[in-house]
Amino acid sequence: LAQVRFPCRHRVDLCWLRRWPVGMGDFGDLVLVCGDHHIPGRAADLPVCFKELLNTDKIKTILCTGNVGSDVVAEQLKDQAATVHIVKGDFDFKTDWPESVVVNVGAFKVGLIHGHQVLPWGDPEALHVAARKLDVDILVSGHTHIGGVQELNGKYFINPGSITGAHAAHATEDVVPSFMLMAIQGQTVVLYTYKEEEGKANVVMSKLEPQR
């Protein structure tokens, strides 16, 4: 079996990102990656610290893994960015959203699915098969409610987790609220993973390099 390795990650100063300094403009437009809101069924709202961070006009594209929970949340996402892609989750019963979407983000082809279609859930080899079928460099998926970044055989798999920290009976570890931001820096995607802990947002940075 091929070895799964994790991209290099670095702790970064949250205050630096929160102020959205001039240097952030070097990255160009930001892409919000989120999903599994489950509002109002399993959660009432986003953590306050997330709402403060996302109150910005720098987000131009949103990739949502589905299971948002209501039309209200879907409309809020559509109001936040010029381009919004939402895929159908296993609890999005009354929507006509697609099962998958493929978009270009910088030098990468990015595929977006909910993740319940890939068995075993969250398995890197199964995700690799799905990524090959969509012919993408990065596959974004949710469903597990556990955020993370993996790489296998030249493909990246990113899971933003649940932005509200909604309960999931199938979760393999404690669920904490999380989401991701993608920033384009030349041929590189800089990925910021935010997790809420004790009312504060902690962030980890990963750099994704083209493998083709």
Side-chain angles (χ1 to χ4, degrees), residues 85-115:
H85 299 286
I86 306 176
V87 290
K88 189 180 184 70
D90 54 334
F91 281 88
D92 292 321
F93 303 117
K94 298 180 180 180
T95 70
D96 57 358
W97 298 328
E99 291 281 335
S100 64
V101 171
V102 175
V103 298
N104 291 315
V105 177
F108 293 88
K109 285 182 66 178
V110 179
L112 176 66
I113 61 174
H114 177 65

Side-chain angles (χ1 to χ4, degrees), residues 1-5 124-125 128 151-153:
L1 297 179
Q3 179 68 34
V4 177
R5 68 180 180 84
E125 292 192 355
H128 188 270
E151 180 189 358
L152 177 64
N153 295 337

Side-chain angles (χ1 to χ4, degrees), residues 66-89:
N67 278 357
V68 297
S70 69
D71 292 339
V72 172
V73 177
E75 289 304 315
Q76 289 173 344
L77 290 171
K78 293 175 183 178
D79 288 341
Q80 187 170 5
T83 303
V84 179
H85 299 286
I86 306 176
V87 290
K88 189 180 184 70

Side-chain angles (χ1 to χ4, degrees), residues 16 20-30 58 182-188 190 192:
W16 182 84
W20 303 108
V22 174
M24 197 68 175
D26 297 339
F27 292 120
D29 295 340
L30 297 177
K58 291 184 176 291
M182 286 181 172
I184 312 304
Q185 188 178 34
Q187 295 293 304
T188 301
V190 183
Y192 297 97

Side-chain angles (χ1 to χ4, degrees), residues 133-163:
K133 287 182 178 179
L134 293 176
D135 189 28
V136 295
D137 309 301
I138 300 173
L139 181 65
V140 177
S141 65
H143 188 63
T144 66
H145 292 210
I146 306 298
V149 185
Q150 300 179 82
E151 180 189 358
L152 177 64
N153 295 337
K155 305 287 187 184
Y156 291 106
F157 315 119
I158 69 174
N159 188 325
S162 167
I163 195 169

